[in-house]
Amino acid sequence: MTTILQSILLWLLYLSSFYAFIPSLISRFFGFRVFRRGKSDTQFALTFDDGPDPHYTPRLLDLLRQYQAKATFFVVGEHAASHPELIQRIHDEGHLIGIHNYIHKTNWLMRPRTVRDQIQRTGQIIHEVTGVKTCYYRPPWGIMNLFDFFSKKERKIVLWSSMFEDWRSRVGAQRLTERMLKELRGGEVMLLHDRGTTLGADAHAPEQMLQALEVVLQEAERLGLQSVRVDTLMGGITVSESQNKNQPQTTLKLWKRLVVALWLGWEKLFHWVYHLRTASPEDPMLHFRSRVYHGARMEMSDGHVIQNGDPVIELHFDNQKLFELGVTSRSSMHLAIRMIRTMEQQLPDLARMVALEPELRSAKAIYGVSMINRGPEKFGFTIQDLPPGPFSAASKVYLKLLLSVIHPAGTKRLKQRTEQLVPKMIAMPLDVLLERYGQHTTQVAATVEESRDGSLLIEKELLPEQN
């Protein structure tokens, strides 16, 4: 019995070696079916695995933009699905996005079909967000299996020529910097990580990676070395070519063009009659006006209350901007992400204006109406139903009509999500606005008296929820 068991274990060892260990060994040392190093004397590639991460990835992108460096991000599908706005930002800022499986699990422990499904699922998420299909793939821990050797030729497997154990906090920023500088040369493909939540990694390790990377980018600039995307190092297509191929082309029907013309004309008249102001004049999206609140008592989750007769600020979206975003978006998710990013960019401007002007600070609330039941909580908003009545009914008809015009899925979307398209009010306390979005105006915010009974209500018309 012992002999039989030993024989079975021996055969399992042979099979696992044949399935994954030997293929990984061959690819790692001989470069068979993989890309590991470029031939350029002046360009190198920074690659980042395991993200995106809501804390570290934005800081990494800021750092890359500061030094005009391009990089490649091999993303984990489940993280990409949770943070599509980061995937969109990575793409918009000119970086390459590759696949790192849907979950961070070695190919050694998965069947070929499971690996294929993981790759396809992650690729679909990337495509839905960016409109671009990716063919670049890096298996977790660089472990390939036998079937990776016989995968479709259009899938480009990318490994690395140098790694630095940046996933371990004990390495330390100084030693990590020394290791990276030692390998800084043309053609190098550097392996780094912008997330520390995978097995064997330290959650705060990306912090020291960011410190080391800044020094490396400074030295690369001094040496005349340029950080580029992996496809550039390989001789692939450029960003502009990729974007041009995937630019959505939208032709509106006659009735939609008429609705848009009336809609935009009404907005101009509304702005003129009510003297609307703009939070970000250089990129008009958020407009507002001061007025007195007339409506039912509104109580938010944190205890702030808005009552009939309170001074308020009414916030509106720019119709022209909404229309442009809608007709040029590739999907519901793409439209949602673009609107979320616009809000993130312009809410600080609104906070600055509120902090600067006593009249705005004296208002008890800023308010508006939304057709979307999910999503605004990420900004710090509280959602509340509109009281039934003529205003609620009219808002529902009006916003549904506009959604059918500007939404990428049009009337098809309305039929699928009718139960969710109900006008609602969205609220945020004023002190939360200043705390969350006033970081760009610290000096101004410091002069503002605390307003513990203030609140913010913001209109987020037509923002599709993320599925």
Side-chain angles (χ1 to χ4, degrees):
M1 186 68 179
T2 304
T3 304
I4 296 175
L5 183 59
Q6 289 176 341
S7 299
I8 293 175
L9 291 175
L10 187 61
W11 273 105
L12 288 175
L13 180 60
Y14 287 153
L15 288 174
S16 62
S17 297
F18 183 68
Y19 181 67
F21 180 72
I22 294 176
S24 296
L25 196 65
I26 294 174
S27 63
R28 190 74 61 85
F29 287 97
F30 299 101
F32 180 71
R33 288 283 286 117
V34 302
F35 176 77
R36 297 180 304 161
R37 185 190 298 273
K39 298 180 179 180
S40 173
D41 294 328
T42 59
Q43 297 177 332
F44 68 101
L46 291 170
T47 66
F48 300 91
D49 289 6
D50 300 356
D53 180 270
H55 179 67
Y56 293 111
T57 304
R59 293 171 58 191
L60 171 59
L61 291 170
D62 291 342
L63 182 61
L64 293 173
R65 181 170 53 189
Q66 179 183 346
Y67 289 93
Q68 299 181 333
K70 300 302 179 187
T72 302
F73 291 78
F74 290 98
V75 301
V76 175
E78 62 177 348
H79 302 326
S82 298
H83 304 285
E85 72 283 356
L86 292 178
I87 298 298
Q88 185 67 54
R89 182 182 170 185
I90 292 170
H91 172 72
D92 288 347
E93 295 188 7
H95 305 291
L96 179 66
I97 303 176
I99 298 168
H100 202 46
N101 284 359
Y102 185 79
I103 59 174
H104 199 281
K105 186 176 181 180
T106 174
N107 290 3
W108 200 336
L109 302 178
M110 293 190 291
R111 296 177 301 168
R113 181 176 179 179
T114 304
V115 175
R116 183 174 65 250
D117 291 344
Q118 293 243 343
I119 293 172
Q120 291 177 348
R121 188 176 180 184
T122 305
Q124 183 178 0
I125 293 170
I126 296 170
H127 182 237
E128 287 178 354
V129 174
T130 67
V132 176
K133 294 182 178 180
T134 182
C135 63
Y136 299 93
Y137 174 60
R138 174 176 285 169
W141 294 290
I143 296 177
M144 298 175 57
N145 59 43
L146 183 63
F147 294 90
D148 287 324
F149 277 19
F150 302 101
S151 60
K152 295 180 180 180
K153 291 184 178 180
E154 53 264 27
R155 184 190 305 165
K156 301 184 185 300
I157 301 175
V158 180
L159 296 183
W160 56 85
S161 57
S162 58
M163 64 177 177
F164 315 98
E165 288 189 292
D166 67 306
W167 60 88
R168 299 184 186 277
S169 296
R170 69 186 185 190
V171 172
Q174 182 176 351
R175 187 158 45 151
L176 179 59
T177 302
E178 294 171 355
R179 291 180 180 182
M180 293 177 65
L181 290 175
K182 185 178 179 180
E183 301 297 330
L184 181 60
R185 63 177 68 90
E188 202 72 16
V189 179
M190 295 184 171
L191 169 62
L192 297 166
H193 301 78
D194 59 331
R195 191 181 183 106
T197 59
T198 54
L199 180 64
D202 297 324
H204 302 295
E207 184 70 44
Q208 65 189 26
M209 181 276 293
L210 291 173
Q211 296 176 33
L213 180 60
E214 183 165 15
V215 177
V216 170
L217 289 173
Q218 291 173 353
E219 181 64 10
E221 193 174 71
R222 188 186 70 82
L223 296 175
L225 295 173
Q226 180 185 13
S227 174
V228 298
R229 298 161 29 135
V230 161
D231 58 345
T232 302
L233 203 60
M234 296 170 66
I237 63 174
T238 64
V239 181
S240 59
E241 290 172 340
S242 174
Q243 290 176 338
N244 289 337
K245 289 180 181 179
N246 292 278
Q247 183 67 29
Q249 302 295 328
T250 303
T251 302
L252 293 181
K253 296 180 181 179
L254 177 61
W255 75 269
K256 287 191 175 185
R257 292 202 298 268
L258 292 175
V259 170
V260 170
L262 291 173
W263 182 31
L264 298 181
W266 160 250
E267 179 183 48
K268 291 181 179 179
L269 179 62
F270 188 87
H271 281 216
W272 179 73
V273 171
Y274 292 103
H275 307 288
L276 293 190
R277 300 173 59 189
T278 304
S280 306
E282 70 283 355
D283 183 25
M285 178 61 169
L286 298 179
H287 306 287
F288 62 91
R289 62 169 178 151
S290 298
R291 56 168 296 185
V292 174
Y293 177 72
H294 295 290
R297 170 189 171 94
M298 180 176 183
E299 184 173 347
M300 295 182 290
S301 59
D302 57 3
H304 290 77
V305 175
I306 305 170
Q307 302 186 75
N308 191 41
D310 285 339
V312 296
I313 299 172
E314 186 178 74
L315 189 65
H316 298 269
F317 273 103
D318 186 276
N319 287 346
Q320 180 70 42
K321 183 78 171 182
L322 279 176
F323 174 67
E324 292 173 357
L325 289 176
V327 299
T328 58
S329 295
R330 293 177 287 269
S331 64
S332 301
M333 182 180 290
H334 188 212
L335 174 59
I337 292 168
R338 295 174 74 189
M339 292 192 67
I340 287 172
R341 291 192 63 191
T342 300
M343 292 295 293
E344 289 175 338
Q345 293 166 0
Q346 300 204 2
L347 281 173
D349 292 336
L350 179 62
R352 181 184 301 111
M353 297 187 75
V354 170
L356 281 171
E357 300 188 26
E359 180 183 357
L360 297 180
R361 296 203 307 271
S362 66
K364 196 171 183 181
I366 298 176
Y367 83 101
V369 178
S370 169
M371 285 290 284
I372 305 305
N373 300 353
R374 295 185 295 167
E377 296 96 334
K378 293 184 177 181
F379 292 106
F381 302 143
T382 299
I383 302 173
Q384 182 170 317
D385 292 333
L386 276 173
F391 177 74
S392 177
S395 297
K396 186 173 183 178
V397 173
Y398 170 70
L399 293 177
K400 275 192 174 184
L401 177 62
L402 296 186
L403 188 60
S404 69
V405 174
I406 74 163
H407 199 282
T411 54
K412 179 180 178 182
R413 165 73 175 198
L414 298 179
K415 294 177 182 178
Q416 294 174 344
R417 302 285 183 175
T418 301
E419 75 284 355
Q420 296 183 3
L421 298 175
V422 179
K424 302 215 175 195
M425 302 185 75
I426 305 176
M428 178 197 300
L430 190 61
D431 54 357
V432 174
L433 172 71
L434 295 175
E435 181 180 348
R436 292 184 60 161
Y437 303 103
Q439 56 184 343
H440 302 289
T441 55
T442 305
Q443 294 180 347
V444 173
T447 66
V448 181
E449 296 179 1
E450 288 189 354
S451 178
R452 295 301 178 185
D453 61 343
S455 58
L456 172 74
L457 240 171
I458 187 165
E459 178 182 24
K460 279 182 59 60
E461 296 177 5
L462 314 174
L463 177 58
E465 73 278 15
Q466 298 179 46
N467 298 316

